[in-house]
Amino acid sequence: MNNAWQSLISNSWIELAARWILGLTFIYASSHKILSPADFAKIVYGYNLFPVVLINLIAIVLPFMELIAGFALISGIYPRSAAIITCGLLVAFIVALSVNLIRGHEFHCGCFSAGEGGHTEIPEITIVRDIIYFILGLQIILFSGIRRMSIKRLSA
Amino acid sequence: MVFRKTMKEIIILVGISATLAMAVNFLSPKGIALVGQWDTSKGVITASPTGPQEWKPEEISSVARAKEIFDNGNVLFVDARSQDNYEAGHIPGAVSLPVGQFDELVGSFLDRHAAARSIVTYCSGRTCEDSHHLAQLLYGLGFEHVKVFIDGFPGWKAEGYPIE
């Protein structure tokens, strides 16, 4: 079993794929939050987990952390650090979703802007998806070879 | 793993993110205040966008007041929520004009209601800004007498007032 893990962790093609998948996903995820910060702030409020004074700051800064980390992953700039940031964010998302699942708390403002004219994803699926992304991030962190397609001097 | 180097890199990446975030938020017309208004006892919650402020409709912040206005008659209540929500229950005599379908439905609304009409919009309560958006859209089309009943349908229903 140990050898199988070892070969997965040291596979540079998997590492490259992981960086691209995670990077593109995070860049895409950040886009609507950057374009509509007021709507995202309302979603943050809806989780009912943060002191009210921090809600706007989270809504302003978090999407850019996703964007910069995603960009860093794709271009291979500080890859381990970028992966640590994305894994950290994923842990935060998983915790937030799980806490609200356990509480049975669902925020329905009843508004169109939050997409309640359409449909939203089931939290359990999002949690599973985020765990998978987290595992990809872990591979990037644990990888110790030469990373493909990355900016050589800056690769960690 | 070189811990200190990694810490430095993380700080750099987070620092760039925070700086870029603040700059974009400050310069963008969609930017929001650093602290929003999230207290429902103060009114409808909002992230407090700092962009060009549009006309703000007058708010009816007590359900009793909304009932008075309803009883006085001659006021058109307009429901900003989705068709499904409207059909599940609405204020008697209210017209459905889902804000997400405004462009499609406004034509027939204009045919039936003169711009001089007194209007009160409502949606799902103080966590919803749709009624404000609807009021602004109507104002933009020439409806000068538009107010927003901020406690919305849930507030009305909670007081036990008649519903349809």
Side-chain angles (χ1 to χ4, degrees):
Chain A
M1 242 354 245
N2 215 16
N3 266 328
W5 285 126
Q6 292 282 39
S7 58
L8 279 173
I9 291 174
S10 53
N11 185 322
S12 62
W13 288 110
I14 290 183
E15 194 270 351
L16 182 67
R19 273 196 289 117
W20 275 77
I21 293 171
L22 218 47
L24 288 171
T25 301
F26 268 68
I27 291 175
Y28 174 72
S30 73
S31 57
H32 77 88
K33 297 168 191 155
I34 292 176
L35 291 172
S36 310
D39 292 343
F40 180 53
K42 199 153 201 198
I43 292 173
V44 173
Y45 166 82
Y47 276 91
N48 205 21
L49 285 169
F50 310 99
V52 144
V53 295
L54 291 183
I55 291 176
N56 280 34
L57 286 173
I58 292 171
I60 294 169
V61 178
L62 191 148
F64 278 89
M65 285 176 62
E66 292 181 312
L67 182 72
I68 297 295
F71 179 74
L73 283 172
I74 292 181
S75 47
I77 295 175
Y78 299 162
R80 184 169 285 125
S81 308
I84 290 175
I85 291 174
T86 47
C87 285
L89 288 172
L90 287 163
V91 166
F93 300 153
I94 291 169
V95 167
L97 286 160
S98 305
V99 166
N100 277 315
L101 247 190
I102 293 169
R103 281 179 184 174
H105 170 77
E106 275 179 60
F107 179 62
H108 289 307
C109 67
C111 351
F112 274 98
S113 56
E116 275 157 37
H119 42 239
T120 40
E121 191 175 54
I122 308 171
E124 289 91 334
I125 294 187
T126 312
I127 292 174
V128 168
R129 199 196 59 191
D130 286 351
I131 291 174
I132 294 173
Y133 288 140
F134 180 82
I135 293 171
L136 288 178
L138 215 50
Q139 199 273 356
I140 298 169
I141 293 171
L142 296 173
F143 180 82
S144 54
I146 296 184
R147 301 179 191 259
R148 296 180 182 273
M149 292 180 63
S150 74
I151 298 183
K152 274 280 174 62
R153 272 183 306 136
L154 296 174
S155 77
Chain B
M1 267 175 253
V2 192
F3 185 66
R4 193 173 291 165
K5 175 167 160 237
T6 307
M7 274 312 302
K8 203 175 89 173
E9 291 172 356
I10 292 177
I11 291 173
I12 290 173
L13 289 174
V14 172
I16 292 174
S17 308
T19 307
L20 204 55
M22 290 301 179
V24 168
N25 186 61
F26 182 72
L27 297 169
S28 159
K30 295 259 194 83
I32 57 179
L34 295 183
V35 180
Q37 197 300 96
W38 300 106
D39 184 351
T40 48
S41 68
K42 294 218 178 89
V44 176
I45 54 166
T46 169
S48 306
T50 54
Q53 285 309 311
E54 307 175 39
W55 166 79
K56 279 202 156 68
E58 185 186 317
E59 290 179 358
I60 299 164
S61 49
S62 102
V63 189
R65 177 85 190 104
K67 180 67 163 60
E68 264 177 47
I69 291 174
F70 175 80
D71 290 334
N72 280 343
N74 209 21
V75 170
L76 179 66
F77 278 75
V78 181
D79 194 325
R81 303 172 303 158
S82 68
Q83 189 75 10
D84 293 338
N85 282 330
Y86 173 82
E87 280 165 19
H90 54 265
I91 294 179
V95 164
S96 172
L97 188 50
V99 72
Q101 294 164 281
F102 187 78
D103 293 329
E104 297 160 41
L105 301 171
V106 73
S108 55
F109 183 87
L110 288 172
D111 288 338
R112 271 179 259 149
H113 308 286
R117 204 78 157 72
S118 279
I119 292 184
V120 171
T121 64
Y122 69 89
C123 60
S124 317
R126 295 186 184 210
T127 52
C128 174
E129 291 168 279
D130 284 351
S131 41
H132 277 79
H133 294 144
L134 186 61
Q136 285 163 342
L137 289 166
L138 289 170
Y139 181 77
L141 287 176
F143 288 83
E144 302 215 331
H145 308 285
V146 187
K147 299 193 186 148
V148 178
F149 167 38
I150 64 176
D151 288 298
F153 186 71
W156 179 273
K157 188 171 173 191
E159 289 296 312
Y161 294 146
I163 58 186
E164 239 170 37

